[in-house]
Amino acid sequence: MLNRFLFKRIDNAQLIVFRIFYGLLVSAECYGAIATGWVRRTLIEPQFTFNFIGFEWLQPLPGNGMYIYFFIMGTLGILITLGYKYRFSALAFAFMWTGVYLMQKTSYNNHYYLLMLLAFIMAFLPAGRDASLDAKLNPKLHSHTMPNWVRWTIILQLFIVYTYASVAKLYGDWLDFSIIDILMRSKDDYPLIGGLLQLKWVHKIVAIFGILFDLLIVPALLWKPTRKIAFALSIFFHLFNSYVFRIGIFPYLSLAFIVFFFEPQTIRNIFLRTKNIVVDQLLTIPKHRNIIIGILGIYFVVQLVLPLRHYAFKDDVLWTEEGHRLSWRMMLRSRSGTIRYRVVNKDTKKVNYIDLDDYLTKKQRRRVACYPDFAWQFAQHLKKEYAKKGEDIQVFVTNKVKVNSGEYHEFIDPKVDLASVPWKHFAHNEWILPRQPTDSTKTSD
């Protein structure tokens, strides 16, 4: 039964149309990153970037190299849209985007992680077999069908993302709408709706709708009686997010996913304008079916378990941030903090206080003051900088952090030399002090 479900042939119109949208959107993301100055601000102007820990060797290219890098990625997006050398283009983009994702996290966004996953998924799907230059140049590649597992891979990935995003919102500061109030304060000057976004009843609607939309949208799109309503709500939800939160291509990428929920012939009629496709109903089980099932099984087990890893760490992820990334915890909290670095020469005992302006951009300074991995990484950077001058140092910090509308509390143990302690990926870092019970956050999420 599993083989019949996974490997039956279906019309591939959904995948083909999505490929076109996907290519156009990633191209817009990459070219737009150059045009808006994101590449300059994030990868060129900083003296160094905060990589994902363990990927310090992955550094931005010197000079104008990152402009060229993003231009190449944007061009690969165009090639994906056209279906030219599709496998190479899609895989090259996947690796290049992963490189950008891992070389900096100052501008971290869960959507960047989703795009990384999607890029590799798309690279291995048969998305270049129709409406493509590849199929035109090599007719043997042409096909109007695909195995059913292709469609359900995308749908299951979306279901995991939306479901975890919904469940993560079930904590005190979301349920009393206070985090919505914080998120909307900076939107007061928006034309037409800025004032509206400050109203308490609007905050209640946004909070409740956010939970219900994330929880129900995939089932509602799958069920034909609710599909059109869900489609209309998706348009409103994602355009609202695009306008209010300015998160690039991702609301539009989310809308593009909806092609997988409508009938293939409907998608073909609207976008491809080809005649009705008769799908061969004969079931063809590939010889490598066990490999496909194994890879999909392992991948989705990881996707299901990874967002839960913060439960294995001491204290609350909302406070410690350990286990926050890669877990679909989107727009859940606001953090602010103060930090002061004290450098002590081990030999002379001379003490220096670091002026962060000499090392970091404004955005990096905010991250260092609020997030433990940033604070630790900057201590490691200082250790290397002083070592170049022949000094062996200790690095101590005085750090207070506030989450949402709570109070400032001491965050990093001021007695711990951050330059000498290792970073623990799979366990709690004990130098992160426990959250104080007087903090306004009500429950763990």
Side-chain angles (χ1 to χ4, degrees):
M1 183 177 293
L2 180 63
N3 283 339
R4 180 169 295 276
F5 174 76
L6 293 177
F7 297 106
K8 70 178 181 180
R9 306 297 296 184
I10 61 173
D11 189 334
N12 65 2
Q14 298 161 319
L15 178 64
I16 300 306
V17 171
F18 180 77
R19 183 206 82 219
I20 295 170
F21 287 145
Y22 164 71
L24 289 173
L25 288 170
V26 299
S27 181
E29 176 74 10
C30 296
Y31 291 147
I34 297 173
T36 61
W38 187 93
V39 173
R40 171 180 52 78
R41 293 190 304 272
T42 307
L43 297 168
I44 295 177
E45 289 182 348
Q47 294 183 31
F48 75 103
T49 60
F50 287 90
N51 311 76
F52 275 72
I53 295 173
F55 291 89
E56 289 77 13
W57 53 271
L58 196 58
Q59 294 293 323
L61 298 174
N64 293 323
M66 293 312 298
Y67 289 129
I68 299 171
Y69 191 100
F70 270 75
F71 182 82
I72 292 172
M73 285 201 298
T75 304
L76 289 170
I78 296 296
L79 296 180
I80 290 169
T81 298
L82 297 175
Y84 181 70
K85 302 292 183 182
Y86 172 75
R87 193 77 68 192
F88 168 81
S89 300
L91 196 57
F93 175 81
F95 278 110
M96 293 185 74
W97 181 264
T98 300
V100 172
Y101 178 79
L102 294 174
M103 76 172 59
Q104 75 81 32
K105 59 188 176 185
T106 302
S107 295
Y108 179 83
N109 191 315
N110 266 290
H111 296 111
Y112 297 158
Y113 171 50
L114 176 60
L115 183 53
M116 182 180 71
L117 296 178
L118 178 64
F120 279 105
I121 290 172
M122 286 297 292
F124 291 99
L125 298 185
R129 291 183 174 270
D130 194 10
S132 68
L133 290 177
D134 284 349
K136 186 175 182 179
L137 294 172
N138 184 4
K140 292 181 179 179
L141 291 175
H142 189 266
S143 175
H144 287 308
T145 67
M146 65 182 181
N148 195 36
W149 64 262
V150 170
R151 174 177 180 252
W152 282 97
T153 294
I154 300 293
I155 291 175
L156 184 54
Q157 179 68 75
L158 291 177
F159 181 71
I160 291 172
V161 172
Y162 279 116
T163 302
Y164 274 120
S166 176
V167 172
K169 293 180 175 68
L170 300 177
Y171 85 104
D173 287 1
W174 189 281
L175 296 176
D176 71 4
F177 321 121
S178 59
I179 183 58
I180 307 299
D181 176 68
I182 294 172
L183 293 175
M184 295 303 176
R185 287 175 191 170
S186 61
K187 321 298 180 186
D188 185 51
D189 59 346
Y190 278 25
L192 300 178
I193 67 169
L196 189 66
L197 294 176
Q198 311 310 309
L199 301 177
K200 298 299 182 183
W201 65 268
V202 173
H203 299 166
K204 294 179 181 180
I205 292 174
V206 169
I208 295 170
F209 185 76
I211 293 172
L212 294 178
F213 180 88
D214 288 345
L215 184 64
L216 300 175
I217 188 59
V218 171
L221 285 168
L222 284 170
W223 194 37
K224 192 171 183 179
T226 57
R227 186 173 296 151
K228 291 182 179 179
I229 296 174
F231 178 47
L233 291 174
S234 294
I235 293 175
F236 170 78
F237 178 81
H238 292 301
L239 291 184
F240 176 86
N241 282 342
S242 177
Y243 182 71
V244 173
F245 297 111
R246 313 291 170 85
I247 48 178
I249 68 165
F250 299 102
Y252 306 98
L253 186 62
S254 299
L255 288 174
F257 280 123
I258 293 176
V259 299
F260 287 100
F261 295 92
F262 282 88
E263 296 299 326
Q265 192 57 54
T266 301
I267 300 301
R268 188 172 291 279
N269 291 341
I270 294 173
F271 296 104
L272 300 178
R273 299 188 180 278
T274 52
K275 62 183 180 179
N276 290 346
I277 301 301
V278 178
V279 179
D280 187 353
Q281 296 299 315
L282 293 176
L283 180 64
T284 303
I285 306 296
K287 294 180 180 179
H288 50 281
R289 66 185 182 278
N290 290 334
I291 296 176
I292 294 174
I293 293 173
I295 292 174
L296 291 176
I298 293 170
Y299 174 80
F300 282 113
V301 166
V302 172
Q303 285 298 301
L304 288 169
V305 172
L306 197 60
L308 302 175
R309 72 192 188 281
H310 66 86
Y311 289 110
F313 297 150
K314 183 180 177 180
D315 214 330
D316 186 354
V317 60
L318 195 69
W319 172 251
T320 68
E321 289 289 313
E322 295 172 311
H324 173 85
R325 297 190 187 94
L326 318 183
S327 60
W328 315 121
R329 302 175 56 79
M330 296 175 274
M331 295 188 179
L332 292 177
R333 82 291 189 240
S334 172
R335 297 176 71 91
S336 57
T338 61
I339 194 166
R340 193 179 192 190
Y341 279 81
R342 179 167 56 94
V343 172
V344 179
N345 186 299
K346 289 183 179 180
D347 299 321
T348 66
K349 306 304 179 184
K350 180 181 177 182
V351 175
N352 284 326
Y353 289 94
I354 299 299
D355 185 348
L356 296 184
D357 292 346
D358 293 338
Y359 295 88
L360 305 175
T361 66
K362 182 178 180 180
K363 194 169 186 178
Q364 287 177 328
R365 293 195 299 272
R366 291 199 300 266
R367 295 291 188 269
V368 163
C370 300
Y371 297 91
D373 53 331
F374 280 81
W376 179 86
Q377 283 179 284
F378 186 58
Q380 303 303 307
H381 179 73
L382 290 173
K383 182 179 181 179
K384 293 176 182 177
E385 290 296 302
Y386 274 80
K388 292 177 182 177
K389 298 184 289 185
E391 295 187 50
D392 189 13
I393 64 168
Q394 296 174 301
V395 180
F396 303 93
V397 300
T398 303
N399 180 214
K400 289 188 175 182
V401 169
K402 180 179 78 169
V403 179
N404 297 344
S405 56
E407 301 173 357
Y408 281 97
H409 293 292
E410 201 167 36
F411 185 59
I412 294 175
D413 189 338
K415 299 178 182 178
V416 172
D417 172 17
L418 289 185
S420 65
V421 294
W423 177 262
K424 298 178 182 178
H425 287 278
F426 304 107
H428 175 61
N429 291 278
E430 296 294 339
W431 45 267
I432 302 175
L433 297 175
R435 187 184 67 173
Q436 299 299 312
T438 56
D439 198 289
S440 70
T441 50
K442 283 81 176 172
T443 60
S444 297
D445 64 333

